[in-house]
Amino acid sequence: MLWETVRLALTAIRRNVLRSFLTVLGVVIGVAAVIAMVTVGQGSSQQVASSVESLGTNVLIVRPGTQIMGPGSRNSAPPFKLADVTALGDLPALEAVAPVVTTSETAVFGNMNRMTSVTGTTAAYLDIGGWELARGRRFTSVEDRTGANVCIIGETVRTALFGATDPTGEKIRLKAISCEVIGLLVAKGAGSFGQDQDDIVIMPVRTVQRRLLGSQDVSTIMMQVAPGVSSDRAIGDIQALLRERRRISLGEDDNFAVMDMKELATMLNSVNAVLTGLLSSVAAVSLLVGGIGIMNIMLVSVTERTREIGIRLAVGAEARQVLMQFLVEAVVLSVLGGVIGIALGLGLAYVAAQFMAIPFTPGLGTILLAFGFSAAVGMVFGFFPARAAARLDPIEALHHQ
Amino acid sequence: MTGPLIELKGITRHYGSGEALVRALDGVDLAIGKGEFVAIMGPSGSGKSTAMNIIGCLDRPTGGSYRFNGVEVGTLDQDQRAILRRHFLGFVFQGFNLLPRTTALENVELPLIYKGQPRAERRARAMDALARVGLQGREHHSPAELSGGQQQRVAIARALASEPMVILADEPTGNLDTKRSVEIMELLVRLNRDAGLTIVMVTHEEDMAAFASRLVVFTDGRVVRDEAVGERVG
């Protein structure tokens, strides 16, 4: 009997395909939006997680100013110098310390060129950042110290300048300097914010400071906590050392900030979760609107089919059978909308994932939830019109025009 | 069970109240036996349609007793009356009342769906009923593709399909020309005579009433005439 009713509902829906489609459009959009939001949200959390993993464990970064991200007073805070890096390197709580200065420069080889990001640092940066070399070698300590004209390039830069050929031993030009490519990094892919991590040229810090920036400042210091030391203890040691070096008196606030990368990832993820939740609930509102659309059209349908209802009652349909007929029709309608919405949402999420360079991770749970939700919408909003149909008086219904 | 199939005793049906009280039926006594073909006539507003609705269990009387096949049915609730209609009553209306955009076969199957019959059996019975009204080969036509007389035949087939004890026909020829009307009446007479089906028919045409074996005339909510009539040979 239920299957019979479902078939009847499908017949009624087919009879007016355009109207049925427009009726469920709200549900389609609502479900598609929820699915797309949640899938993209999950993808970007996964992205954050994997990029934190690729950083290596227990990485801390310190920057002048009071905040790592967002509006800070970095400009008013004195910058770090290489001497600070050396001093931090003496802390037993830290395994490795690397200065980081960055700039953007056009790298030229032959008639090829690419605007890329240039990072000035030391060999320790490769360990802290979890970078591996596909070819060539790292900077030697002499090259680090003297600021030699050597560089290690990322996969994106290599492809742009050299294609598939081996770049090591070749010389590329950055501004006025000509530097020898001594290494090629293993590709890492996109970072937490969708940036291309392989679009990079790494040079000794002194080379970048002198030849490209003309400044002795160090904008960021990256550190790796020694094994067996908690990051809290390491942060405490770093803060004590830097406060002393920067002559911050007791009771005064730090003019630098130490950030645990794990913490940053957690923070990013929670921001991500809040955003996903917020956008999904906005999308869920359109599901509600879609439900009202279904209720509206079902009421119209009950009025239009009053005579049909009268006939059914006359030949012996019970009120609950008429109720079921219209309820099933509403549920079938909204479930169809849900299915279209799921397909559309997954498609959107897939395109977005490609565009944002994040993994495409469709969740079965999300899909089932959306399916169930659309069925529930049909049930809730179909009930009132169905009850209106079931309560019709057979005599009046039969004489309805 | 002996005694009449349909037995109305002191049936009243009132609409409204106070000043606006309308006594559509004002004490109707009527007994119809198994196998009878009764024509109900009367001017409009005489209560004949109200009486039909009560006999057809579509409506409930305000007062009095209505026994169908010996069982008091005047007090049944809506769903109980639906089940009664499903098993014992078949309806034929003036306006045919077929489902539009639905084939003749599916229209005839409709009451059988509510009787819970399996698909194959339903189909076979519906085909059989259509054959009985002379519509073999038209099973897959929709009402719009059939003439008025054919549509009324589909409606009669639908009433027959559930093998009812009574067929209630409310102005079955009201929308048809004389030739089609006579064909429909001849069909009803045949069903009455050959299958022993009890038929109660409301009509305002004397010619059509003449096909019945008994004539009941309503005026002002009461039965004012009740007599046997000569049956015209179909």
Side-chain angles (χ1 to χ4, degrees):
Chain A
M1 192 68 203
L2 183 68
W3 174 232
E4 205 73 62
T5 316
V6 171
R7 265 187 15 153
L8 188 66
L10 285 172
T11 311
I13 289 164
R14 257 205 310 270
R15 215 160 256 174
N16 216 329
V17 176
L18 180 65
R19 187 165 91 178
S20 302
F21 177 72
L22 292 175
T23 303
V24 298
L25 202 55
V27 171
V28 170
I29 291 170
V31 168
V34 171
I35 290 273
M37 293 301 166
V38 173
T39 307
V40 168
Q42 280 171 346
S44 69
S45 314
Q46 212 171 73
Q47 174 66 30
V48 169
S50 66
S51 72
V52 166
E53 251 166 57
S54 79
L55 256 184
T57 47
N58 287 338
V59 173
L60 304 177
I61 61 176
V62 59
R63 280 185 167 181
T66 48
Q67 273 178 301
I68 291 282
M69 297 171 79
S73 49
R74 196 181 300 154
N75 290 340
S76 64
F80 294 117
K81 302 291 178 188
L82 283 175
D84 295 308
V85 179
T86 316
L88 284 167
D90 292 336
L91 281 178
L94 298 179
E95 171 91 355
V97 181
V100 178
V101 296
T102 54
T103 182
S104 281
E105 210 56 71
T106 306
V108 182
F109 176 73
N111 58 358
M112 311 294 278
N113 66 79
R114 180 172 180 90
M115 186 75 173
T116 183
S117 100
V118 178
T119 298
T121 184
T122 60
Y125 177 79
L126 300 178
D127 299 323
I128 299 170
W131 287 103
E132 306 230 1
L133 289 178
R135 284 174 191 280
R137 61 173 181 86
R138 306 157 152 240
F139 309 131
T140 62
S141 54
V142 175
E143 284 166 342
D144 271 343
R145 243 191 346 266
T146 59
N149 289 343
V150 291
C151 61
I152 298 170
I153 62 173
E155 184 59 41
T156 306
V157 176
R158 179 255 190 127
T159 311
L161 298 185
F162 300 97
T165 61
D166 182 0
T168 55
E170 303 288 353
K171 295 211 164 182
I172 62 172
R173 196 163 51 78
L174 288 139
K175 228 177 194 175
I177 55 172
S178 164
C179 76
E180 185 189 342
V181 178
I182 59 166
L184 173 67
L185 296 167
V186 171
K188 259 189 179 181
S192 325
F193 304 102
Q195 81 279 23
D196 180 2
Q197 298 186 97
D198 301 317
D199 191 2
I200 190 172
V201 172
I202 298 175
M203 299 174 81
V205 62
R206 284 188 169 82
T207 318
V208 177
Q209 282 181 332
R210 274 186 225 144
R211 312 287 301 268
L212 295 178
L213 294 171
S215 151
Q216 300 294 308
D217 300 345
V218 171
S219 54
T220 307
I221 303 171
M222 287 185 81
M223 295 153 290
Q224 185 162 31
V225 180
V229 177
S230 76
S231 49
D232 283 347
R233 213 199 94 194
I235 290 170
D237 288 357
I238 294 162
Q239 281 170 332
L241 178 77
L242 289 177
R243 284 180 75 89
E244 189 191 316
R245 288 185 61 84
R246 293 164 82 85
R247 300 198 165 72
I248 301 169
S249 48
L250 217 66
E252 231 182 301
D253 284 339
D254 290 351
N255 60 3
F256 60 90
V258 188
M259 183 66 106
D260 190 335
M261 285 310 280
K262 277 245 165 69
E263 220 170 85
L264 187 66
T266 315
M267 199 182 80
L268 274 176
N269 265 341
S270 63
V271 168
N272 205 340
V274 169
L275 268 178
T276 304
L278 205 67
L279 291 171
S280 302
S281 43
V282 170
V285 170
S286 74
L287 260 181
L288 188 78
V289 175
I292 294 169
I294 288 183
M295 176 151 79
N296 187 16
I297 293 297
M298 287 307 294
L299 279 171
V300 171
S301 179
V302 166
T303 310
E304 278 181 355
R305 287 154 70 187
T306 298
R307 195 187 263 266
E308 174 193 326
I309 295 164
I311 295 168
R312 289 177 184 279
L313 289 170
V315 302
E318 287 165 69
R320 63 177 180 85
Q321 289 171 318
V322 173
L323 182 109
M324 273 304 278
Q325 181 190 339
F326 282 88
L327 196 57
V328 165
E329 195 172 314
V331 171
V332 167
L333 206 55
S334 68
V335 162
L336 279 179
V339 169
I340 298 171
I342 288 167
L344 189 67
L346 288 178
L348 282 176
Y350 180 77
V351 171
Q354 297 302 305
F355 202 67
M356 294 162 70
I358 59 166
F360 173 62
T361 52
L364 185 66
T366 317
I367 292 170
L368 289 179
L369 195 72
F371 189 82
F373 213 87
S374 54
V377 162
M379 204 98 75
V380 169
F381 290 97
F383 182 76
F384 179 66
R387 202 186 53 169
R391 285 189 173 178
L392 285 175
D393 177 68
I395 300 167
E396 279 170 31
L398 277 170
H399 292 109
H400 185 86
Q401 283 315 302
Chain B
M1 187 77 228
T2 53
L5 181 60
I6 290 166
E7 189 176 27
L8 306 182
K9 271 187 187 160
I11 291 288
T12 57
R13 179 69 174 97
H14 298 169
Y15 297 103
S17 59
E19 293 285 300
L21 184 75
V22 176
R23 299 172 198 272
L25 292 180
D26 194 13
V28 170
D29 297 310
L30 183 65
I32 297 170
K34 220 170 149 74
E36 281 197 83
F37 186 166
V38 181
I40 296 177
M41 294 191 76
S44 59
S46 62
K48 60 186 192 300
S49 287
T50 308
M52 270 302 259
N53 287 337
I54 285 173
I55 292 170
C57 295
L58 290 167
D59 197 4
R60 270 203 293 200
T62 309
S65 155
Y66 170 26
R67 295 171 82 84
F68 182 86
N69 206 18
V71 180
E72 178 62 48
V73 295
T75 53
L76 297 180
D77 70 22
Q78 198 186 325
D79 282 346
Q80 289 170 319
R81 280 183 280 133
I83 292 165
L84 193 87
R85 290 197 294 273
R86 183 190 299 171
H87 289 282
F88 302 114
L89 302 172
F91 291 88
V92 178
F93 303 96
Q94 177 177 6
F96 318 138
N97 274 336
L98 299 174
L99 295 185
R101 290 185 286 186
T102 304
T103 65
L105 189 65
E106 284 167 336
N107 263 296
V108 176
E109 279 184 47
L110 193 64
L112 305 179
I113 292 177
Y114 293 110
K115 281 183 101 172
Q117 287 182 358
R119 209 170 144 73
E121 190 183 336
R122 234 160 55 203
R123 186 126 299 193
R125 282 185 184 230
M127 296 285 273
D128 186 50
L130 281 168
R132 281 176 78 185
V133 299
L135 282 179
Q136 308 92 314
R138 301 289 165 106
E139 290 88 351
H140 300 288
H141 287 56
S142 73
E145 295 164 341
L146 297 170
S147 71
Q150 287 170 328
Q151 287 186 52
Q152 195 60 298
R153 283 167 190 271
V154 174
I156 292 170
R158 180 178 65 193
L160 287 175
S162 58
E163 294 177 347
M165 296 174 81
V166 182
I167 285 196
L168 299 164
D170 191 355
E171 307 249 14
T173 59
N175 284 10
L176 301 175
D177 60 36
T178 313
K179 187 161 178 284
R180 308 287 159 221
S181 296
V182 169
E183 283 172 14
I184 290 295
M185 291 316 300
E186 284 169 351
L187 175 61
L188 289 177
V189 166
R190 203 167 67 238
L191 291 170
N192 171 245
R193 197 193 298 141
D194 301 350
L197 209 55
T198 309
I199 296 177
V200 181
M201 173 181 78
V202 166
T203 184
H204 61 265
E205 294 168 273
E206 301 256 0
D207 294 352
M208 301 306 139
F211 283 91
S213 52
R214 178 179 166 195
L215 176 67
V216 174
V217 180
F218 275 69
T219 304
D220 293 336
R222 291 170 187 272
V223 176
V224 293
R225 227 169 89 195
D226 186 349
E227 63 194 17
V229 289
E231 198 174 314
R232 205 154 83 182
V233 177

